[in-house]
Amino acid sequence: YRLVRGTTTCETSAMDSAKEALKELRGLNIEQGPVLLRFLALFAALASLGCAVFLMINPKNAVEHPVMYVLYGYIALFASTTMLFEAKHEWIEKVSLLDRYQNMLIQYCGFLTVMGGRGLFYLFQGTLWLSFSDSLGEIINIGAAMALSFV
């Protein structure tokens, strides 16, 4: 912000208050857990994203099972959202597209800003992965589901 010469203390104080309110709206008050927990959640989301992308690479899946293909896209989006909220905010605000997406999520999905809300979101993602597992042979899906469910 550019201050105009001759501003009063009251005007400066009002500008400072407005800056603080803007910071709060922009998501700087996202609850963050311990570093190890954040790392585990980030790793689980990366594994989830990798599995979803791997399943989406095969165009045969899009033709034979279009609904499942769309679901893989949702899972990839959810995993990306998980990584967004577990990463340091300073990293996110350097990329304007990610910053805008995170701010939109904060505005419309406020539960993602608190650890309990994100925990339920991660549990939801884990159950999505478990719905694909019909045998123990799908160990990667089960591993991603367990990691997301217990983080």
Side-chain angles (χ1 to χ4, degrees):
Y1 293 100
R2 199 173 111 211
L3 294 176
V4 179
R5 230 185 267 174
T7 58
T8 64
T9 306
C10 185
E11 289 171 335
T12 305
S13 177
M15 290 178 111
D16 289 341
S17 296
K19 286 180 190 178
E20 288 301 315
L22 182 62
K23 283 181 185 177
E24 191 170 317
L25 284 175
R26 294 192 67 219
L28 294 179
N29 292 327
I30 298 171
E31 282 185 10
Q32 296 290 316
V35 174
L36 179 62
L37 189 62
R38 288 175 54 201
F39 175 76
L40 290 173
L42 200 59
F43 182 74
L46 187 61
S48 180
L49 179 63
C51 289
V53 169
F54 178 75
L55 292 167
M56 291 175 65
I57 287 175
N58 188 356
K60 182 180 169 188
N61 286 340
V63 174
E64 291 180 355
H65 307 286
V67 173
M68 295 301 285
Y69 197 79
V70 170
L71 191 55
Y72 299 146
Y74 288 144
I75 290 174
L77 181 67
F78 293 161
S80 301
T81 299
T82 297
M83 289 189 289
L84 187 71
F85 276 91
E86 294 302 335
K88 288 185 179 180
H89 187 73
E90 295 80 32
W91 299 345
I92 302 305
E93 59 185 12
K94 290 181 181 179
V95 181
S96 65
L97 178 68
L98 294 179
D99 192 39
R100 285 196 316 261
Y101 179 62
Q102 187 180 47
N103 289 335
M104 188 255 324
L105 287 173
I106 289 169
Q107 182 178 0
Y108 294 109
C109 306
F111 65 92
L112 292 173
T113 63
V114 293
M115 289 189 304
R118 281 198 313 275
L120 290 174
F121 179 61
Y122 301 162
L123 184 64
F124 171 70
Q125 289 179 67
T127 57
L128 282 178
W129 276 116
L130 284 177
S131 70
F132 297 134
S133 302
D134 56 359
S135 70
L136 285 177
E138 298 174 345
I139 196 73
I140 295 176
N141 288 355
I142 294 171
M146 297 299 267
L148 283 166
S149 295
F150 292 112
V151 170

